[in-house]
């Protein structure tokens, strides 16, 4: 079993609420993209990761992470994958890292979540079956699951994600000084709001800079 939890970055959604050309995860954000900025934060946490994505985004993801850390699932437009949903993506990530001591579910459209937040939720899994980041009493991401829940996570499917599991097990709130746990990018207005938060340099705060895409 791995000595630490693994971050499952979800990057397989259709992003249908985003208006404009291109997938929302490929939109420019500072000096990178929405997904690139999210991956920077995860890499900076020094936790292991696996990215669950589609064939359309695979090449971009491989600019950030090794091939063995990418799991490709069917996209909704592929017909067969139309009803797979978030639950399927979570299960695919869990099965790909079945030796982990736990898993943190991290949406690919949340580029402001700090590395320290990821580490804090990961640490909480040593004492709780489920843990999640919370800012000023508001529940956010990531959500973490301990290894004891593998058998339930590995068979998830559909659009409900892990809600059924969350309803059955006590979850620990990890209070963090990180408003990014509540910020996702679903629409162009969301993207503009996040862009406005960036410093003049365009760098995402607390981002990892030791590895850049080719």
């Amino acid at each position: 079993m791995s000595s630490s939890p693994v971050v499952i970055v979800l990057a397989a959604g259709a992003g249908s609420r985003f208006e404009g050309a291109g997938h929302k995860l490929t939109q420019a954000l500072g000096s990178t993209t929405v997904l690139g900025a999210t991956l920077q934060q995860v890499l900076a946490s020094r936790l292991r990761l696996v990215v669950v994505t589609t064939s359309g985004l695979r090449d971009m993801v491989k600019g950030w992470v090794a091939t063995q850390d990418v799991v490709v699932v069917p996209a909704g437009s592929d017909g067969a994958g139309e009803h797979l949903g978030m639950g399927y993506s979570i299960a695919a990530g869990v099965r790909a890292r079945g030796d982990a001591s736990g898993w943190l579910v991290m949406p690919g459209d949340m580029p402001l979540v700090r590395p320290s937040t990821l580490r804090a939720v990961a640490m909480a899994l040593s004492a709780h079956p489920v843990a999640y980041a919370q800012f000023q009493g508001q529940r956010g991401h990531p959500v973490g699951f301990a290894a004891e829940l593998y058998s339930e996570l590995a068979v998830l499917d559909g659009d409900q994600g892990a809600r059924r599991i969350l309803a059955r097990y006590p979850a620990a709130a990890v209070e963090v000084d990180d408003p990014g746990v509540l910020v996702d990018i679903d629409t162009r207005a969301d993207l503009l709001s996040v862009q406005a938060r960036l410093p003049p340099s365009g760098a995402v705060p607390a981002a990892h800079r030791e590895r850049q895409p080719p």
Side-chain angles (χ1 to χ4, degrees):
M1 180 177 291
S2 164
S3 60
S4 65
V6 170
V7 182
I8 300 174
V9 180
L10 302 179
S16 57
R17 291 179 57 193
F18 190 83
E19 317 87 356
H23 196 286
K24 68 177 181 179
L25 296 180
T26 67
Q27 301 300 308
L29 184 62
S31 58
T32 181
T33 62
V34 171
L35 180 57
T38 301
L39 292 175
Q40 284 181 325
Q41 306 288 52
V42 176
L43 289 166
S45 76
R46 304 298 185 183
L47 295 170
R48 293 170 62 202
L49 83 163
V50 61
V51 184
V52 181
T53 190
T54 60
S55 58
L57 296 177
R58 175 174 49 195
D59 289 344
M60 183 179 73
V61 172
K62 287 184 177 179
W64 287 100
V65 301
T67 299
Q68 63 264 28
D69 295 328
V70 181
V71 174
V72 177
V73 298
S77 59
D78 292 342
E82 185 175 357
H83 301 296
L84 295 179
M86 184 185 297
Y88 184 92
S89 291
I90 295 172
V94 168
R95 291 194 302 268
R97 293 293 181 271
D99 64 336
S101 62
W103 304 270
L104 273 64
V105 176
M106 177 69 182
D109 63 354
M110 298 190 70
L112 299 184
V113 175
R114 298 172 184 167
S116 58
T117 293
L118 292 164
R119 291 191 295 267
V121 175
M123 288 181 61
L125 294 179
S126 63
H128 304 279
V130 181
Y132 60 89
Q134 178 175 280
F135 176 69
Q136 295 184 353
Q138 297 184 70
R139 188 169 185 156
H141 279 88
V143 179
F145 301 91
E148 64 195 77
L149 300 182
Y150 173 85
S151 60
E152 296 183 61
L153 292 165
V155 296
L156 289 175
D157 204 348
D159 293 327
Q160 295 301 306
R163 290 180 185 176
R164 288 171 294 177
I165 296 176
L166 290 169
R168 287 201 298 271
Y169 293 92
V174 180
E175 186 69 29
V176 292
D177 184 19
D178 181 3
V181 305
L182 307 176
V183 180
D184 61 354
I185 296 177
D186 284 330
T187 66
R188 182 161 293 280
D190 294 336
L191 177 61
L192 293 174
S193 176
V194 171
Q195 288 174 333
R197 298 185 184 203
L198 300 184
S201 65
V204 177
H208 181 66
R209 295 180 178 82
E210 294 181 6
R211 182 178 183 185
Q212 295 294 334

